[in-house]
Amino acid sequence: MTTKVGIVGYGKIAQDQHVPSIEGNPHFELAATVSRSGNGHPGVPCFATHADMLAQVKDLGAVAICTPPSVRYAIARDCLEAGLPCLLEKPPGVTLGEVEELKTLADAKGLTLFTTWHAQHNPAVTAAAEALAGKNVETMRITWREDVRKWHPGQAWIWEPGGFGVFDPGINAFSIATRIFPGTLWLKEAELLFPANRQSPIAANLALSGSAATGAVTAQLDWRHSGGEAWDIEVRTADGETILLSEGGSKLSRNGEAVAASGPGEYPDIYREFAELLAGHKSHVDVAPLRLCAEAFLLGRRTIVDAFED
Ligand code: NAP
């Protein structure tokens, strides 16, 4: 039997990735969308609020919450209260407490809660984690630069408190780093660069510590980058290996040699895992990437830079 899914927040990621992945997976069927502007998926019932969807779609089996993060908690809580398993886009909330509370609620109700981190679903990331397991890390360098105008055109929410700013893509890097690093990572120092007219940073320079790291662990996040993306994580191990994950975790090389790794793709793999979690009545909740963001905001020294206009 297929699970009927409702998508709340029918924006860029819902349209680009969730809909094709649901339509391409025999375990799921797109049954409803929620869009305040009435701009839902053609041929599928569209509701102005998630409450309307919960009240009117009687055979809904799960909800995918693809809104901006600041409203994720309230929507997820209502869906869980209504007895529906939830898949959360990244980041799963704006605070760690929100996610903990959702997990408590999901557990109490015996419902699946899935905090998705799409970058972790690259097979090259799994291969890198396997290559680093049990090793000591000498250095790890995260470089995450992209053009905000290309990836987030006109998304005003991203600059607001709870919008994450450059940590919106940066948290993807953290989701890979926390997955592959053979130990715990935490923040040591952070410089956050805020445009004079915005509430969220446009760039960040971070120094981290790690339980298995002897040298520097650094991250440079920057949205003021044009001419292609740089989404790289380079790790040097104490035994002399160099592991490079590039192109957002999709390509792996070991000591300069490309390593082949193939899989269904990030979002098809997310829905593969969601089907598995639903069948096993299990949850998958991972807050490690969100914790690094929270620590960066806690420790961050603020530098004001040029105002940003879309
Ligand atoms: P988006 O294009 O702005 O879409 C979000 C949608 O949510 C909007 O279309 C809006 O639809 C709805 N929405 C906005 N504010 C809302 C509110 N206060 N209450 C209820 N609904 C609201 O954003 P997006 O890029 O898809 O990003 C959504 C989430 O996916 C973010 O957490 C982001 O980090 C994550 N993500 C994005 C990408 C990407 O490449 N864009 C990749 C991976 C993950 P209506 O106005 O019609 O209601």
Side-chain angles (χ1 to χ4, degrees), residues 9-14 34-39 66-69 71-72 75 89-91 118 151-152 155 157 168 267:
Y10 190 69
K12 185 170 183 341
I13 200 62
V34 174
S35 160
R36 297 165 307 168
S37 52
N39 188 25
C66 306
T67 61
V71 291
R72 195 137 26 245
I75 295 168
E89 246 306 339
K90 50 88 10 184
H118 62 87
W151 291 96
H152 300 280
Q155 289 183 348
W157 60 265
D168 179 273
Y267 280 83

Side-chain angles (χ1 to χ4, degrees), residues 37-308:
S37 52
N39 188 25
H41 190 65
V44 171
C46 178
F47 300 89
T49 68
H50 67 282
D52 290 344
M53 177 184 75
L54 295 176
Q56 292 178 48
V57 186
K58 295 300 176 200
D59 53 355
L60 209 56
V63 180
I65 303 171
C66 306
T67 61
S70 62
V71 291
R72 195 137 26 245
Y73 166 74
I75 295 168
R77 187 197 56 212
D78 289 349
C79 294
L80 290 167
E81 293 281 13
L84 291 171
C86 288
L87 179 158
L88 308 180
E89 246 306 339
K90 50 88 10 184
V94 287
T95 65
L96 292 162
E98 284 183 349
V99 186
E100 191 178 314
E101 180 61 13
L102 291 178
K103 174 73 166 59
T104 303
L105 181 58
D107 286 351
K109 292 197 158 275
L111 294 169
T112 294
L113 181 69
F114 185 16
T115 59
T116 63
W117 300 103
H118 62 87
Q120 290 184 348
H121 290 262
N122 283 290
V125 171
T126 309
E130 283 163 2
L132 288 168
K135 298 219 174 186
N136 284 318
V137 168
E138 206 163 83
T139 59
M140 177 154 94
R141 197 171 63 210
I142 300 170
T143 309
W144 225 254
R145 298 196 193 115
E146 63 180 44
D147 182 353
V148 63
R149 289 189 174 89
K150 173 175 173 187
W151 291 96
H152 300 280
Q155 289 183 348
W157 60 265
I158 217 152
W159 297 104
E160 293 302 313
F164 284 74
V166 75
F167 287 91
D168 179 273
I171 205 167
N172 296 334
F174 292 165
S175 75
I176 297 174
T178 53
R179 171 79 182 89
I180 67 172
F181 190 80
T184 305
L185 284 171
W186 63 95
L187 256 291
K188 199 159 70 176
E189 281 174 27
E191 181 194 18
L192 308 181
L193 286 71
F194 286 79
N197 59 340
R198 301 287 180 170
Q199 294 290 329
S200 292
I202 196 164
N205 299 313
L206 312 171
L208 297 91
S209 294
S211 47
T214 52
V217 179
T218 60
Q220 286 192 324
L221 319 177
D222 206 328
W223 252 347
R224 302 164 300 178
H225 186 74
S226 54
E229 295 70 39
W231 291 325
D232 302 323
I233 300 183
E234 188 189 73
V235 185
R236 286 178 197 274
T237 64
D239 60 5
E241 262 213 287
T242 301
I243 305 275
L244 174 64
L245 270 170
S246 53
E247 298 185 27
S250 63
K251 295 227 157 50
L252 172 66
S253 71
R254 285 180 84 163
N255 301 319
E257 298 270 320
V259 177
S262 63
E266 292 182 354
Y267 280 83
D269 197 56
I270 284 176
Y271 278 90
R272 178 205 56 74
E273 183 177 349
F274 193 35
E276 223 171 77
L277 291 170
L278 289 170
H281 302 283
K282 293 201 171 110
S283 287
H284 181 175
V285 174
D286 173 10
V287 295
L290 180 60
R291 193 176 66 214
L292 288 183
C293 284
E295 290 179 353
F297 277 93
L298 264 175
L299 285 174
R301 224 168 355 100
R302 169 183 284 252
T303 299
I304 302 296
V305 296
D306 288 349
F308 175 85

